Amino acid sequence: MRLPPTALKTLRLLAALALAAGGVWLLRFAARDLLRPVPPPPAGAPEELVSAPAPKVLDLAAVVPRPLWTTFGGLAPERTEETLPMPVEQARAEVAARLEAKGWRPLSGELPIAQAQLLALSGGEVYATPDQAFAQVTVTADRAGGSRVRTFLLRTEGAEPVDPASPPDADGLALLARSAARLRPERQLPGWMAAPCLGHALTTRLVQRRGGAAFYLTALVPGAPAETLARVGEAAAAAGWARERSPVDALRPAGAPAQAVAATFVYHNVACNVRAAPGPRAGETTLVYRFTDDEVYVRPPRKEKP
């Protein structure tokens, strides 16, 4: 049975958030601007130039609240993963039957064409659940010959209310921006970290690794990239960050617009790499922040010769 137009419109818009929860939006919008890490000083430098990692005064995995480790539009998806000992096609049929038995309804036939095509490319499907949540489920092959099933479940409590006058294929990015502006996830960050972050956090992501962590935050703000980056610098300086000359300042990712500009700031042992590039809409700038707690190097005190 087909859904009423208003309900269908709501599903389409909320499914845009579910797509974002699966990472499709993040990959298309922000991935090209994810900044490269600051390289350590070269080996074999003269003794007086040798640097060492800065003392770990701040630990990002400890200071960034866990609810911000992954968010889209201020909402945090629940992520689960399992492995099935069967080929991909068989696993997809198995998962589809299992979810149908739980009352989950696939939305591929109700999504705008562009979103449906993205799902097909990622090997996934968006579902509506009986408790008004949305999920993206992807099934991919693993190295052992089985299949890996990843589920991103996005509960819609607190989601941006849908305007019944919105067109059925309304811009999912605009929906994320309105949701982020209402929920303001960046307010959960410690003040020294939130200070250089202009606008509202459309996406956040914390990645742990051996010896440290990286925290990514993306935002859309009005203005041109150079002017916007200058505002970031002023806000960072007011909060105690120091501007750092770094190879990152001169890097521009392949395919990024020529107007893209970048800067690096340091606060104790935390580096903040910021890239500002023209946004997807005229008059806006995309800001991608990359905070790390293990990429600041200092020169140890020089030893006096006897």
Side-chain angles (χ1 to χ4, degrees):
M1 182 177 69
R2 299 297 292 176
L3 296 169
T6 303
L8 178 55
K9 195 176 296 182
T10 301
L11 284 175
R12 285 175 167 176
L13 290 175
L14 288 176
L17 281 178
L19 283 169
V24 174
W25 177 84
L26 180 60
L27 286 174
R28 295 191 66 192
F29 174 63
R32 73 177 187 185
D33 288 323
L34 292 183
L35 302 170
R36 310 176 200 180
V38 179
E47 183 178 350
E48 64 271 14
L49 297 180
V50 170
S51 298
K56 197 164 185 177
V57 178
L58 297 165
D59 182 343
L60 288 182
V63 301
V64 174
R66 184 168 277 274
L68 292 188
W69 283 22
T70 302
T71 66
F72 298 88
L75 300 173
E78 301 168 18
R79 177 175 180 170
T80 59
E81 187 171 317
E82 67 172 316
T83 301
L84 298 179
M86 58 185 72
V88 170
E89 291 307 316
Q90 183 182 351
R92 285 178 180 160
E94 168 76 18
V95 169
R98 184 196 307 174
L99 296 181
E100 183 181 0
K102 290 170 57 176
W104 289 29
R105 187 179 72 261
L107 298 179
S108 55
E110 301 171 359
L111 291 173
I113 266 226
Q115 292 179 355
Q117 288 174 341
L118 283 173
L119 285 171
L121 291 173
S122 67
E125 172 67 272
V126 168
Y127 290 85
T129 73
D131 59 352
Q132 304 305 310
F134 291 85
Q136 185 189 37
V137 181
T138 59
V139 182
T140 55
D142 68 9
R143 294 181 181 178
S147 299
R148 183 168 299 169
V149 183
R150 295 185 178 91
T151 302
F152 287 83
L153 181 69
L154 194 68
R155 303 192 184 279
T156 56
E157 296 90 350
E160 177 66 15
V162 177
D163 179 359
S166 299
D169 55 352
D171 184 6
L173 178 56
L175 180 65
L176 283 175
R178 292 203 308 272
S179 182
R182 192 165 57 84
L183 299 176
R184 301 186 178 185
E186 67 284 347
R187 287 188 171 184
Q188 299 179 50
L189 292 171
W192 59 269
M193 199 171 175
C197 297
L198 305 186
H200 304 296
L202 297 183
T203 67
T204 61
R205 173 77 171 170
L206 186 130
V207 180
Q208 290 182 288
R209 56 199 183 188
R210 184 178 299 177
F215 178 70
Y216 297 88
L217 183 151
T218 66
L220 273 178
V221 295
E227 299 166 358
T228 301
L229 189 63
R231 290 169 50 208
V232 171
E234 293 170 1
W241 292 80
R243 178 73 178 262
E244 180 77 5
R245 289 185 60 84
S246 161
V248 172
D249 288 355
L251 291 176
R252 186 165 57 86
Q259 301 95 321
V261 289
T264 300
F265 305 92
V266 171
Y267 186 89
H268 296 296
N269 62 299
V270 175
C272 176
N273 304 327
V274 189
R275 188 173 305 282
R281 297 175 293 206
E284 288 183 325
T285 288
T286 302
L287 284 172
V288 180
Y289 296 83
R290 179 179 180 274
F291 295 87
T292 58
D293 58 13
D294 58 354
E295 293 180 359
V296 175
Y297 293 85
V298 296
R299 294 180 186 175
R302 195 171 178 182
K303 293 181 180 179
E304 296 293 334
K305 295 182 180 179

